[in-house]
Amino acid sequence: MQRQRPLWMLVPGGVLAALLIVVPLAVAVQISLLDLDQYSFRQWLGAPFVGVRNYHEALTRSPLAHSILVSTGYAATVTVVTLPLGVAAALATHNRFAGRAVVRSAFLIPFVLPSFVVGTLWRIILQPAGVANRVLDPLGVPTGLWLNGPRSFWALVIVQAWAAWPLVYLLTLAGLQTLDRDLHEAAALDGAGWWAKLRYVIFPCLRGPVSLAMLISFLHDINNFALPFVLFGVPSPHDVEVLPVLTYIESFQNFRFGLSAAMAVLSVALIAVPIAVYLRAVKLDVGEEARTT
Amino acid sequence: MTRRRTPSVLAIAMIAISALSACGSGGGSSGTGKTLHVLVSANTIYPEQQRAWFTDVSARFKRETGATLTFETFATPNDELTKIQTSVLSGQGPDVYSLGTTFTPTAYATGAFLVLGRADWDTIGGRDKFLPATLGISGPDRDHEVGVPFTTRPFVMAYNKDLLAAAGIDKPADSWDGLLAQAKRVTTGGTYGLAVGYGDSFDPWKFVWAMSLQAGNPLVDKGRARLDDATTMKAYQTYLGWIATDHVVDPAAVGWKNAQALAAFGAGKAAFVPMVSATSKVSLDKSAVAGRYGYTIMPTIPPGATALPAGGVGAASILSGDNLVVARYTRNKDLALALIKMLTSQDLQENYYRTFGEMPTNAQAAASLRGDPALAAMVESASRSVATPFTGAWSQIQLALVNVVVQSVPSVSTGRVDSAALRSLLGQAQSSAQAALDKAK
């Protein structure tokens, strides 16, 4: 059977994938093995080959380990925070009510704003004498520094969660739309209350779209460069020294292109882990039938 | 090493060939049919004037050489670096670049730009045509210069005349300690002595560099970093102390960029705003303090001293401004030099100052401005500006210096300058600066 498949039709996609993914990745790996810096980039192929020395430096003598911790910690926190928000918003706007279209559109505003705009807005809001502190102070909430120091981590979580929850909402809503109406009726006929219906009928069906939302959200958070860059500037405050900004600084401020490429390759390896887990869990590649049979 | 030498030999051969062919072409109209590409920084204060200037300069260049001139702009130094990288790798792109002075050492380190020989300088109009101080960051030494000074933006300090008069201060202090004492006298209620952008990505290192150099420490000394020196520690303690313990700066300034510090001064909420250039005049003349402020040079006596110590350099500002450099890969070297000659001529430099407020590097043009009282401080600062160390590692050192301030902000905002933490941060800065210097070639 397999031999008769018109595999040649994969050629255009294959060429594109090679050009857009394989070649840049191969170049990144090659650069990561060179001592490429401001002194050698003019003839970058002639830069001294240093083997895995950049990887060794990245892992032992750079803030990479700290950055991985900050990035994964913040991405996981944002994912956990946005999950209930997104699911609740999807459930609330699933059934018809007057003005539903307006509410649904409004929910998407944070998501469609570019990270650069979100960062700039929140940078103004979170200034020491900004709106956030002026609102929180009369409420008795301790005010202070949001864009540096320990609180900056939470500032990043809050702003990213604000921008990212609509993704979970959108995918959950899409999942809800695919639920068969009969399923709701059958549950109602069996006398299920709203919680029982939610717990035993709706949630199990949402597992696929919600896990996808969590994965995309997590990866998006880990890879988000613009938001922390605009929000905190460079050099990054210690508590928000995230991976993409660190890689950027090594490349474009310190001109350690080889070291930076090694960090980039390591971060590809890092984000491959959740992708592999997800692919195994949902078996995306074999389709719906394979799961049920 | 040999592998690296081959391409540079090739490059020199190519330059020699292009120079020979240039010799053959000669004449004023040699550029007919040719196009020269120039990359300059986008002027965000005067965008329309900049477009008009591009048109005027292009028309004049066409008249003088017959060649077409096209301008391209970049928004940030990083955009420019990306452009340089792609151009250098592909061997095509702008023929002439305008570079910030502190970026010139990094650009020199790439080896991508033409080292100007005696003949090249003669073509441009000779070194004597420039203010001597502005040539201080053109190259590591006189025989290896890549940058031709185009504009100079010396840093000065603006002061509020009314606030100073109310506090009984007749003139701004010439030492940092004196400035602090004056700032304390002025600070009352919502008015502060100083406006400083502690959240700026560039300004903090300029203060630390100036104070250290005035105390005799140039930060880089014969390939050795000296960021862990006591003078640098004192500089950081002074700079951070203003806001943390002396309370002469608005506490909100921990998050300010330079523009916000200028805005606070413009609103009449601060008596002094150090580290501003002539371009600040545009916004201050439209602000609440219009007509009631003046400029003076920043203090040149280091913290803890009443006179310049032995070995100290009375630097009033970093040598700031723009240099013009020619790409090595250019096939239009003669045209590139003709353009640089034109851009650094007296009339064009005077016109550039009148349009954009940026000070000339042409000595005659600068002399003609000397009589303008509004510019006295800038002219003085320009003549007392000192070049930052010329090393390819300078960008990294700059970043390490700013990083100390960024990581100190949390403790500063609680009203402390933690000496132990500062020492540890300076230790880190020292090792990253030294590592960068060790790689310097």
Side-chain angles (χ1 to χ4, degrees), chain B residues 176-260:
Chain B
W176 292 106
D177 286 0
L179 181 69
L180 174 60
Q182 290 184 343
K184 282 182 176 169
R185 274 164 67 184
V186 178
T187 304
T188 48
T191 308
Y192 292 91
L194 296 166
V196 179
Y198 286 89
D200 199 90
S201 302
F202 296 96
D203 272 10
W205 73 257
K206 295 173 192 163
F207 284 97
V208 172
W209 170 85
M211 292 178 190
S212 301
L213 183 66
Q214 290 161 2
N217 174 12
L219 299 183
V220 178
D221 200 359
K222 298 186 185 82
R224 302 296 307 164
R226 284 181 58 191
L227 274 61
D228 54 356
D229 196 277
T231 51
T232 311
M233 179 77 177
K234 179 77 180 164
Y236 275 107
Q237 284 169 329
T238 305
Y239 176 72
L240 298 172
W242 292 338
I243 187 164
T245 48
D246 303 318
H247 307 294
V248 294
V249 182
D250 187 335
V254 287
W256 288 357
K257 301 273 181 200
N258 178 294
Q260 286 161 287

Side-chain angles (χ1 to χ4, degrees), chain A residues 93-117:
Chain A
T93 55
H94 178 51
N95 293 323
R96 280 182 197 287
F97 59 88
R100 186 177 72 161
V102 177
V103 174
R104 279 186 173 182
S105 312
F107 279 179
L108 291 179
I109 291 174
F111 188 60
V112 296
L113 285 177
S115 280
F116 185 82
V117 176

Side-chain angles (χ1 to χ4, degrees), chain A residues 8-162:
Chain A
W8 61 270
M9 291 182 81
L10 290 175
V11 170
V15 169
L16 264 182
L19 281 177
L20 297 176
I21 301 167
V22 180
V23 173
L25 196 62
V27 171
V29 171
Q30 188 190 3
I31 291 179
S32 72
L33 302 174
L34 303 174
D35 182 17
L36 188 65
D37 55 22
Q38 67 265 52
Y39 309 100
S40 53
F41 87 74
R42 194 159 61 97
Q43 295 120 6
W44 67 281
L45 285 171
F49 179 83
V50 291
V52 294
R53 213 184 298 163
N54 284 326
Y55 290 90
H56 185 255
E57 184 178 348
L59 292 168
T60 56
R61 281 181 289 127
S62 85
L64 182 74
H66 173 250
S67 282
I68 290 176
L69 207 64
V70 172
S71 280
T72 47
Y74 125 84
T77 316
V78 170
T79 308
V80 169
V81 170
T82 52
L83 182 67
L85 286 174
V87 172
L91 289 171
T93 55
H94 178 51
N95 293 323
R96 280 182 197 287
F97 59 88
R100 186 177 72 161
V102 177
V103 174
R104 279 186 173 182
S105 312
F107 279 179
L108 291 179
I109 291 174
F111 188 60
V112 296
L113 285 177
S115 280
F116 185 82
V117 176
V118 173
T120 310
L121 282 175
W122 281 90
R123 190 182 165 88
I124 297 168
I125 294 171
L126 296 172
Q127 284 286 316
V131 180
N133 279 346
R134 267 184 239 166
V135 170
L136 294 174
D137 196 28
L139 301 176
V141 180
T143 57
L145 205 56
W146 289 100
L147 299 175
N148 198 331
R151 273 200 208 174
S152 57
F153 180 84
W154 295 106
L156 182 60
V157 166
I158 291 166
V159 178
Q160 181 60 15
W162 181 83

Side-chain angles (χ1 to χ4, degrees), chain A residues 35 37-46 48 123 127-129 145 148-149 234-238 248-249 252-257, chain B residues 4 7 78 81 85 88-89 106 109-112 201 252 254-255 257 328 392-393 395-396 399 403 406-407 409-410 413 439-441:
Chain A
D35 182 17
D37 55 22
Q38 67 265 52
Y39 309 100
S40 53
F41 87 74
R42 194 159 61 97
Q43 295 120 6
W44 67 281
L45 285 171
R123 190 182 165 88
Q127 284 286 316
L145 205 56
N148 198 331
V234 286
S236 304
H238 183 72
Y248 166 86
I249 290 177
F252 297 104
Q253 304 255 323
N254 285 338
F255 311 114
R256 298 287 310 277
F257 303 105
Chain B
R4 282 151 153 255
N78 291 326
L81 182 73
Q85 275 171 277
V88 165
L89 280 173
T106 305
T110 64
S201 302
V254 287
K257 301 273 181 200
R328 268 197 172 188
S395 291
Q396 284 131 299
L399 191 76
N403 190 48
V406 170
Q407 310 309 342
V409 158
S413 71
K439 276 177 75 57
K441 295 177 179 89

Side-chain angles (χ1 to χ4, degrees), chain B residues 97-244:
Chain B
Y97 293 76
S98 162
L99 304 176
T101 45
T102 54
F103 187 64
T104 304
T106 305
Y108 175 83
T110 64
F113 300 100
L114 190 71
V115 176
L116 301 162
R118 179 183 274 271
D120 299 323
W121 277 110
D122 289 345
T123 311
I124 295 162
R127 288 171 55 95
D128 296 343
K129 151 178 171 180
F130 300 95
L131 277 178
T134 61
L135 288 160
I137 198 155
S138 290
D141 55 61
R142 259 184 97 140
D143 297 328
H144 298 90
E145 289 175 326
V146 292
V148 180
F150 174 45
T151 65
T152 177
R153 278 188 299 274
F155 288 104
V156 291
M157 176 166 73
Y159 61 95
N160 184 315
K161 290 177 180 170
D162 292 355
L163 290 177
L164 259 61
I169 299 165
D170 56 347
K171 64 175 180 133
D174 60 356
S175 69
W176 292 106
D177 286 0
L179 181 69
L180 174 60
Q182 290 184 343
K184 282 182 176 169
R185 274 164 67 184
V186 178
T187 304
T188 48
T191 308
Y192 292 91
L194 296 166
V196 179
Y198 286 89
D200 199 90
S201 302
F202 296 96
D203 272 10
W205 73 257
K206 295 173 192 163
F207 284 97
V208 172
W209 170 85
M211 292 178 190
S212 301
L213 183 66
Q214 290 161 2
N217 174 12
L219 299 183
V220 178
D221 200 359
K222 298 186 185 82
R224 302 296 307 164
R226 284 181 58 191
L227 274 61
D228 54 356
D229 196 277
T231 51
T232 311
M233 179 77 177
K234 179 77 180 164
Y236 275 107
Q237 284 169 329
T238 305
Y239 176 72
L240 298 172
W242 292 338
I243 187 164

